[in-house]
Amino acid sequence: WGNIRDHGIDGAAPAVRGGSGHYFDGIIDEFRVTNSVLSADYIKTSYNTQNDPTNFVHDGIRLSETLSFTDSMSFTVDLEGTEFIQETIGFTDSVSVLSNADFPTSWNKKMLSTNPSLISGSGASLTGLPVVVELTNDPDLSTTNVGENGEGIRFTSDGTTLLDFEIESYSPTANGGTLTAWVEIPTLSASADTYFYIHYGQTLTTGSTAAGVWDGQTSGGKTYVVVNHLHNTPTSASNDREMIGSLPGGDDDFGAGKSDMDEDNVVDGKISKGLRLNDGTTGQFVCLETEDTTNFQACNGDSDIFSGSDGGTFWNIDTAGAVRSTSIWYNAVTTNNGGFQVIFEEGASNGQSIYLYNDKIYGVTSKSESPAWGEAATTANEWHHVVLVWVDDGESYLYHDGTRVDTFTG
């Protein structure tokens, strides 16, 4: 079966579906959906911050230093022809440091900065892009400084102006603490470092503003409708929505699709923890139902975000010009098991799917059982990122590891 899907396996089949034997064997992480077309620059930069977070965001203060030199020389000659040369070198050194404003004075802080070489594009195309901050065994982030769960952490753009952030995970260590957080940076530059601060030293109630991280700076252009880190522990109950998303309202809270899923399914992911599926078993998946269900393991497809059936309005009678961008990280045990491995499936005869087959990744859209797709080569036993950008009645795109690899109409 497909590991993220919104309907059962009975009934009319689309071009590709998560049918019997089509399960995904591997790890998934960071499942996201926007009802918008994400730009190539946004997708590339988002891939870079997730793929190499400790190089994308540097820990520590950077100084801008300039040196100027002056050089003067004179020489004399005595009567016996011996030359004496005298040289004087002088220099001045000036150092500029960013704002040292406090937020407030009782908090400690240190500076972080982005790596412009990993940023693609600028301006509106990157407005509100969340970046990953990973600090490992940091002595400043002990429980004494930030509390048992990192609740005493804040981020600002200049030492005073708060930034929206979400703590995905915090764990104390022998010498400090390890943090994974998502921070929404208002403006990113591909030509210069972007500076911001992490604050600590107070153990107050949590200040995490997860919903604000994913709102695209309220511009609407990059507002997410699903953000699920896939790091929660599944339970055996059929009616638990235990895979908790980051957005308010519960539309991105999902249930585990098989009763044998438990804490063993939670493993190291691409970012913090991810979800291991079908290790020595079959049929494990995440159900995308969100409405009035009592059995996520049946997964009949009733959702505010996903249409869930051929009659769903998003796919079956959608307004011309509808768009959607769906992304996920995957790490497959094999990319060629003799059949399909469905990573994501929405809808049936009308819908989308992302799957592996014969050492390739496919992104498929189908309407009235007429499929269109993009494809790219892929590999097993390493992390890859896939984005399927669907544009109704226009050009759609498949991105793999931050690069557009195929364009198709459908």
Side-chain angles (χ1 to χ4, degrees):
W1 295 350
N3 67 27
I4 294 186
R5 61 192 181 99
D6 72 338
H7 67 284
I9 64 172
D10 298 323
V16 177
R17 70 173 304 143
S20 178
H22 293 169
Y23 58 88
F24 172 78
D25 184 4
I27 311 171
I28 53 174
D29 201 359
E30 298 301 329
F31 175 55
R32 301 178 190 171
V33 179
T34 70
N35 286 344
S36 58
V37 175
L38 298 180
S39 71
D41 287 336
Y42 188 97
I43 290 172
K44 180 64 174 179
T45 304
S46 183
Y47 166 79
N48 285 341
T49 188
Q50 296 175 70
N51 185 55
D52 193 6
T54 56
N55 192 27
F56 193 97
V57 172
H58 296 279
D59 172 13
I61 296 176
R62 288 168 172 248
L63 301 178
S64 175
E65 185 171 15
T66 59
L67 297 175
S68 61
F69 292 88
T70 60
D71 186 3
S72 63
M73 180 183 296
S74 64
F75 67 92
T76 60
V77 180
D78 68 8
L79 295 177
E80 297 180 357
T82 302
E83 296 181 357
F84 296 91
I85 299 176
Q86 295 177 323
E87 184 174 14
T88 302
I89 298 176
F91 68 90
T92 59
D93 185 3
S94 63
V95 177
S96 61
V97 184
L98 292 187
S99 167
N100 195 36
D102 287 322
F103 163 76
T105 55
S106 58
W107 290 62
N108 298 316
K109 70 177 183 297
K110 62 182 175 182
M111 188 179 293
L112 306 174
S113 58
T114 60
N115 184 345
S117 69
L118 295 179
I119 295 172
S120 177
S122 61
S125 66
L126 300 181
T127 298
L129 190 149
V131 303
V132 184
V133 175
E134 281 194 351
L135 300 175
T136 302
N137 200 27
D138 191 308
D140 295 319
L141 302 182
S142 66
T143 55
T144 302
N145 284 337
V146 302
E148 294 295 326
N149 299 300
E151 59 268 25
I153 291 173
R154 303 291 187 274
F155 292 89
T156 66
S157 60
D158 56 5
T160 58
T161 305
L162 284 166
L163 294 173
D164 287 322
F165 71 98
E166 177 189 7
I167 294 178
E168 179 170 346
S169 65
Y170 168 80
S171 57
T173 63
N175 299 313
T178 293
L179 171 72
T180 298
W182 298 87
V183 184
E184 186 181 36
I185 306 297
T187 303
L188 290 169
S189 173
S191 58
D193 293 356
T194 299
Y195 297 96
F196 61 107
Y197 291 90
I198 182 172
H199 299 255
Y200 54 92
Q202 300 292 315
T203 55
L204 307 178
T205 57
T206 182
S208 178
T209 51
V213 175
W214 307 102
D215 66 0
Q217 289 286 309
T218 67
S219 65
K222 293 174 283 293
T223 301
Y224 286 82
V225 294
V226 172
V227 177
N228 198 302
H229 302 302
L230 300 176
H231 59 189
N232 297 110
T233 301
T235 68
S236 60
S238 63
N239 61 348
D240 283 349
R241 281 203 283 169
E242 63 270 60
M243 309 304 296
I244 305 303
S246 299
L247 304 180
D251 286 343
D252 60 348
D253 296 347
F254 308 126
K258 197 180 179 194
S259 61
D260 65 355
M261 296 173 66
D262 55 25
E263 64 274 5
D264 291 338
N265 291 87
V266 181
V267 298
D268 290 338
K270 179 61 181 178
I271 305 294
S272 191
K273 296 298 183 181
L275 196 63
R276 176 67 168 98
L277 296 172
N278 301 301
D279 182 12
T281 186
T282 61
Q284 294 182 341
F285 64 97
V286 175
C287 177
L288 301 180
E289 285 187 39
T290 60
E291 292 183 324
D292 302 326
T293 185
T294 58
N295 189 354
F296 292 107
Q297 294 168 15
C299 202
N300 294 316
D302 188 9
S303 169
D304 284 331
I305 300 299
F306 301 99
S307 60
S309 65
D310 292 341
T313 57
F314 190 90
W315 293 106
N316 197 37
I317 54 174
D318 56 77
T319 303
V323 294
R324 174 162 287 184
S325 300
T326 302
S327 65
I328 194 168
W329 283 92
Y330 69 95
N331 188 332
V333 172
T334 177
T335 55
N336 186 4
N337 69 352
F340 301 110
Q341 293 186 76
V342 180
I343 297 174
F344 163 73
E345 187 176 27
E346 171 188 358
S349 297
N350 303 297
Q352 285 185 330
S353 59
I354 298 172
Y355 66 94
L356 301 173
Y357 180 70
N358 197 22
D359 295 325
K360 289 185 177 181
I361 181 83
Y362 289 83
V364 178
T365 64
S366 179
K367 192 168 185 180
S368 300
E369 300 190 23
S370 298
W373 68 89
E375 62 185 77
T378 190
T379 54
N381 297 308
E382 59 184 329
W383 283 103
H384 295 286
H385 187 246
V386 58
V387 186
L388 175 58
V389 179
W390 173 73
V391 179
D392 184 32
D393 300 323
E395 283 192 338
S396 298
Y397 311 102
L398 183 68
Y399 289 81
H400 198 238
D401 293 339
T403 300
R404 184 185 296 177
V405 292
D406 213 343
T407 302
F408 59 98
T409 300

